[in-house]
Amino acid sequence: MCTMIRIQKEPICLDHLFEDQTPEIGALLIFAGVVRADGMHHLLLESDTGQAERELKIITDEAESKWGPIKVRIIHRYGELQLGEVIVLIIVAASHRDKAYSASRYIIDELKVRVPIWKADVSDEKVSWIHGEKE
Amino acid sequence: MKVYYKTFARFVEFFGKEGDIELPEGSSVLETLNFLCSSDEKKRSLLFDENGMIRRYVIILKDNERLDNETISSTSLQEGDAITIYPPVSGG
């Protein structure tokens, strides 16, 4: 499994995401962030996509320096998302589950404060940008 | 000199999605941001805290490199340079 990072508009397809496992991998940790019903009709996501992919690569490298070697696949959507849709998928492959859990948590926590992606609640054509997690 | 800027998400309402401004040669990134805010206290409060520092989760970039409060003051711009201003992010 190789590291892959993608910011995309299209719904996330799980086909082929779990292929290419190598013998040293003992744990696959999958995190999926999903659109929760918070009183809005749907979500709108905006991204500076090139910069987002660059920052995610930096975060992934940091995770590997702390817990590596690991392999990571990250797909984050932008555009219009409906309730229940997957916003972000993070797959971490590691030799042991403790590394996979720690790396996965690190990646999503850093993503939420560093990666240029913004969410807005949309209801009745009114767009309300969501504040940053630690703002 | 003319420098360019772009913003995203909720900053677009106040600064526009992108634009250009005329500044004296060698103006710093900080001077550019001050010019963008002009005398508009709402714009200023979006970018700067009560001590005049860039707010903690506002991100300023030049040439895809993130700048901190020190480099925002010390980095000079040239004709055609572009800066990017991110409001606090909310992905994931």
Side-chain angles (χ1 to χ4, degrees), chain A residues 35-54:
Chain A
V35 180
R36 180 178 57 240
D38 267 345
M40 77 295 184
H41 182 263
H42 63 271
L43 281 186
L44 176 67
L45 279 83
E46 186 178 334
S47 176
D48 190 357
T49 55
Q51 192 64 26
E53 288 176 349
R54 276 189 287 274

Side-chain angles (χ1 to χ4, degrees), chain B residues 25-57:
Chain B
E25 284 289 333
S27 293
S28 69
V29 173
L30 178 61
E31 286 165 334
T32 304
L33 297 173
N34 277 320
F35 184 89
L36 268 177
C37 295
S38 294
S39 56
D40 190 321
E41 283 309 308
K42 176 59 183 176
K43 288 180 181 178
R44 184 165 297 282
S45 73
L46 287 174
L47 299 187
F48 297 98
D49 64 20
E50 55 278 4
N51 299 314
M53 308 291 277
I54 290 291
R55 288 195 178 276
R56 191 165 173 208
Y57 291 101

Side-chain angles (χ1 to χ4, degrees), chain A residues 46-48 51 54-55 76 87-88 108 111-119 129-132 134-135, chain B residues 6-13 17 56-57 59 61 64-66 84-92:
Chain A
E46 186 178 334
S47 176
D48 190 357
Q51 192 64 26
R54 276 189 287 274
E55 192 65 27
H76 200 303
I87 305 168
V88 60
I108 185 63
L111 183 158
K112 281 180 165 293
V113 294
R114 289 166 56 177
V115 176
I117 301 171
W118 299 270
K119 290 202 289 268
W129 291 103
I130 295 168
H131 283 238
K134 294 186 179 178
E135 200 177 334
Chain B
K6 62 178 180 179
T7 70
F8 290 83
R10 68 180 194 255
F11 280 6
V12 171
E13 178 186 350
K17 193 159 181 60
R56 191 165 173 208
Y57 291 101
I59 300 170
L61 299 94
N64 295 326
E65 293 293 325
R66 298 187 176 206
T84 307
I85 308 166
Y86 291 157
V89 300
S90 56

